[in-house]
Amino acid sequence: MSNEDLAKKKEGKFVTGIPDFSSDPVTGFGFGVRGNIYWNGERENPLFPYTPYLAKLKVNAAYYTSNARELAMSLDVPYYKGTRWRFKIDLKAQQNPANLYFGLTENTLGDLSLPSDPNTTFSTYKEYDEARKTLRAGEIGEALFVTDALSNRFRETEYMLNLKADYALGNGKWRIMAGYEIQNLKYKTFEGEDAEAINTATGEETTAPNGFSLLKRDFDQGKISGLNGGWISLLQTALIYDTRDFEPDPTKGMYFEIANEYSSKAIGSAYNFNKLFLQARAYKKLPFGKRTVLAGRIGVGNIFGTKAPFFEFQDQWSPEGSINALGGKQSLRGYRANRFLARSMWFTNFEFRYRIAETKIAKERFAFGVAPFFDAGTVRDKWQDLNFENIKFSYGIGARIAWNQSTIISFDYGISKEDKLFYIGIGQAF
């Protein structure tokens, strides 16, 4: 760490956290908490200037009126007892009925359309969302009149355990990592369930049975696999190069990784596939302001396996945490999560992180900054077709609160041609 940042680093154990409020038409009103417990050690420890912390325990818990819920815990111990080993343990139990699905090919790069009427398109998510609620005559197997309000939604129930260890090579810039993850997944779509509807004859709001979902249609037509869920067993490996000065909020350095996830029936998984992801990040401190940093990232990923399940297309695995792709708060912040999905993808992010002020309240140190950002990316059905055509862009402004340096509370407002979205979370986007 720089001498300036090192002088501000807090010793010993401390707790940070924020309440989590949200409201969604599907999940309902939700309340939760996101917190961290840090063990930084003492300043006399020779690792003190080099590690973000000696240990960190992260706990997220939330409950929603629709019975959606989440409990996630993560323990991270870098340079365990002064050795070259780093250990991470992740546990998660969650049920989320508000997941989104728009398709699984590069056709998702087109405008939004309804599963029941793919020829009618909408240029904004607001127009699309209103059209989904319009009552229509039911198809064979549906009710007499139905709504498509939940046509792009599905519920996921997940139980997950992940164990990872990495080993620092040479002077510590290179690391090799191996891990194992086991998940149990269950999925449900909302055919026949009462949902919001608009009577076209009267314009009145009402309720009606939901029609066939897009996910169920694609599964029944053999376009996707994985709707039956099951046990997923994964072997994870990665090669990492890391010269960042302070992992939670770098001012300089680089981070590069080649990460791979392997799933096979031979190791107890319900599916055969392989996921490869390459990511590079760079941070440059600029010579003006209290703490001004230009940050950039590029990621490229591909899924191998003709029967890879649909849910594996929805994130790229990284030792630093999975990244929703493509859309949402980790990739394209002006688009809904998983708006664009296909077998191959690339994306890039740029942020201009400018610190405005710092203060100390009691024994807690806070820093405040802004972060204008620009995001771009695209997807393809084959990695050989990845290029710079049909790129999706978003941009916006972010605010950052650094609490005792290690906890970064982020507020991002992203804008795209389809949507305007606001995110709150803990941690930098990258």
Side-chain angles (χ1 to χ4, degrees), residues 6 9-11 40-43 45-51:
L6 182 59
K9 187 176 179 182
K10 189 169 182 176
E11 294 181 275
N40 268 3
E42 303 304 319
R43 198 168 296 275
N45 189 325
L47 290 176
F48 194 81
Y50 298 98
T51 59

Side-chain angles (χ1 to χ4, degrees), residues 109 111 123-125 334-335 392-394 415-419:
L109 293 169
D111 288 337
S123 58
T124 68
Y125 195 88
Y335 288 94
K392 300 300 179 180
F393 303 94
S394 66
I415 301 169
S416 70
K417 72 171 189 176
E418 280 188 2
D419 226 334

Side-chain angles (χ1 to χ4, degrees), residues 1-308:
M1 300 177 65
S2 66
N3 291 333
E4 182 182 0
D5 285 343
L6 182 59
K8 300 172 187 175
K9 187 176 179 182
K10 189 169 182 176
E11 294 181 275
K13 182 177 73 173
F14 59 93
V15 179
T16 62
I18 60 172
D20 184 11
F21 296 95
S22 64
S23 180
D24 184 274
V26 177
T27 57
F29 175 78
F31 171 80
V33 63
R34 298 175 181 270
N36 300 295
I37 304 175
Y38 293 94
W39 290 266
N40 268 3
E42 303 304 319
R43 198 168 296 275
E44 292 75 21
N45 189 325
L47 290 176
F48 194 81
Y50 298 98
T51 59
Y53 38 78
L54 294 182
K56 170 187 172 183
L57 178 64
K58 179 172 67 175
V59 179
N60 296 339
Y63 179 80
Y64 301 83
T65 53
S66 65
N67 205 32
R69 61 194 72 184
E70 177 191 45
L71 175 63
M73 301 178 68
S74 176
L75 177 65
D76 181 15
V77 185
Y79 294 101
Y80 174 70
K81 291 187 176 181
T83 69
R84 292 174 176 268
W85 288 99
R86 180 176 194 165
F87 298 102
K88 292 183 180 181
I89 303 174
D90 296 292
L91 289 162
K92 181 165 66 173
Q94 64 97 14
Q95 183 182 86
N96 183 6
N99 289 288
L100 295 171
Y101 177 79
F102 299 95
L104 212 63
T105 71
E106 62 188 65
N107 290 335
T108 55
L109 293 169
D111 288 337
L112 294 159
S113 63
L114 299 176
S116 58
D117 184 15
N119 295 322
T120 301
T121 60
F122 307 90
S123 58
T124 68
Y125 195 88
K126 182 179 180 180
E127 294 172 349
Y128 164 74
D129 201 37
E130 291 176 355
R132 290 194 306 173
K133 300 173 185 177
T134 304
L135 274 177
R136 63 172 176 84
E139 303 172 12
I140 297 174
E142 295 180 328
L144 186 61
F145 289 97
V146 297
T147 175
D148 286 319
L150 305 179
S151 63
N152 285 79
R153 303 268 184 167
F154 66 92
R155 185 175 74 196
E156 178 184 66
T157 304
E158 176 186 12
Y159 299 93
M160 182 272 288
L161 168 66
N162 182 259
L163 306 172
K164 293 191 291 287
D166 70 48
Y167 185 81
L169 304 173
N171 59 8
K173 294 180 180 179
W174 287 95
R175 307 200 308 270
I176 53 174
M177 193 226 77
Y180 175 73
E181 181 173 308
I182 186 166
Q183 301 170 291
N184 182 260
L185 301 172
K186 295 180 180 178
Y187 294 96
K188 176 179 172 55
T189 51
F190 301 108
E191 287 79 16
E193 295 195 14
D194 285 345
E196 294 177 292
I198 299 175
N199 190 319
T200 53
T202 64
E204 294 180 351
E205 295 183 359
T206 183
T207 59
N210 194 63
F212 291 132
S213 72
L214 177 59
L215 183 59
K216 184 70 163 55
R217 289 174 187 265
D218 283 358
F219 180 75
D220 289 343
Q221 295 171 14
K223 296 180 179 179
I224 67 164
S225 64
L227 190 56
N228 294 326
W231 288 96
I232 315 299
S233 180
L234 297 163
L235 294 178
Q236 302 167 329
T237 54
L239 177 64
I240 302 164
Y241 177 77
D242 190 357
T243 62
R244 293 171 297 178
D245 58 345
F246 187 60
E247 191 176 298
D249 189 19
T251 64
K252 63 180 180 179
M254 296 183 62
Y255 175 89
F256 172 76
E257 69 182 18
I258 304 174
N260 190 83
E261 274 193 322
Y262 172 76
S263 172
S264 170
K265 294 181 180 180
I267 57 171
S269 184
Y271 305 93
N272 296 321
F273 63 87
N274 198 66
K275 294 173 67 173
L276 180 65
F277 181 59
L278 284 75
Q279 179 184 192
R281 309 178 189 177
Y283 307 88
K284 174 67 175 178
K285 188 173 183 180
L286 303 180
F288 58 86
K290 294 179 179 293
R291 192 176 190 270
T292 307
V293 178
L294 181 63
R297 170 174 68 173
I298 185 168
V300 182
N302 188 73
I303 301 175
F304 301 91
T306 56
K307 293 295 183 179

